Amino acid sequence: LASVRPRDMVGKTRRRLAAEQLAELVAVEKKVKLLSKELKAMVAAGHGGSIINTSSIAGLEGGFGATAYGATKWAVTGMTRTAAKELGKHGIRVNSIHPGAIVTDMITTMLDGGRDEKMIARQPIKRLGTPDDIAEMALFLASDRSSYCTGQQFTVDGGIHG
């Protein structure tokens, strides 16, 4: 699903940002309709499966100055929980991954002038996450090792959440 990232908001007027968010919401609605078609095919096939949504720790706790971003991430949490209840009877598991500070373009853009050291200092595990950390969680959720997990939010954040 599309999302509004904090770095996308830098330097934009509220009116321009609101217009972009509205366009994005329309795009998300179109994607949800497409996914609904795919889900119908998945149910009809009768083989079960695993759906993994990606969100953020902002979808679990919110944050200052990121209302739109947080709202989209909370929406993923709600969709995950609802879909898990609706699709469980078809053997389809639905879970979400909620990354924290992962070394990506977004985080790299946000961190400058030693701010990465401050972020690492706040982490119980004294490093930032990597895309591989997220991939490993996705592999677990896609596998039969998570066969009794559905409707759950899995944080991959070095312990910062909670």
Side-chain angles (χ1 to χ4, degrees):
L1 294 175
S3 65
V4 177
R5 297 177 305 271
R7 70 181 170 100
D8 294 339
M9 296 183 206
V10 175
K12 295 186 179 180
T13 66
R14 288 183 183 201
R15 181 176 294 165
R16 182 172 169 206
L17 182 58
E20 289 176 7
Q21 288 172 337
L22 179 60
E24 189 167 327
L25 288 173
V26 170
V28 169
E29 183 180 353
K30 289 179 182 177
K31 289 178 183 177
V32 169
K33 288 180 181 177
L34 176 65
L35 287 173
S36 294
K37 287 182 183 180
E38 296 297 325
L39 282 175
K40 287 178 184 175
M42 197 173 180
V43 169
H47 303 298
S50 178
I51 297 170
I52 305 163
N53 295 318
T54 305
S55 183
S56 164
I57 58 171
L60 300 172
E61 63 186 29
F64 291 102
T67 302
Y69 180 78
T72 62
K73 301 309 178 181
W74 279 93
V76 173
T77 300
M79 289 184 343
T80 298
R81 289 180 174 179
T82 301
K85 291 179 188 231
E86 293 175 347
L87 298 171
K89 64 185 175 192
H90 301 289
I92 299 171
R93 297 174 287 114
V94 186
N95 294 290
S96 56
I97 300 173
H98 296 258
I102 306 299
V103 180
T104 61
D105 290 343
M106 182 176 111
I107 291 294
T108 303
T109 300
M110 292 170 62
L111 299 177
D112 59 358
R115 289 177 61 199
D116 56 337
E117 292 172 11
K118 291 177 184 175
M119 186 177 280
I120 291 169
R122 290 184 17 219
Q123 298 286 117
I125 295 177
K126 300 297 181 196
R127 68 176 179 85
L128 299 179
T130 67
D132 285 345
D133 293 320
I134 304 305
E136 290 295 329
M137 178 58 73
L139 286 171
F140 168 72
L141 292 173
S143 76
D144 288 339
R145 294 178 297 159
S146 65
S147 64
Y148 199 58
C149 299
T150 194
Q152 301 304 305
Q153 294 71 52
F154 291 87
T155 58
V156 181
D157 66 354
I160 196 88
H161 173 77

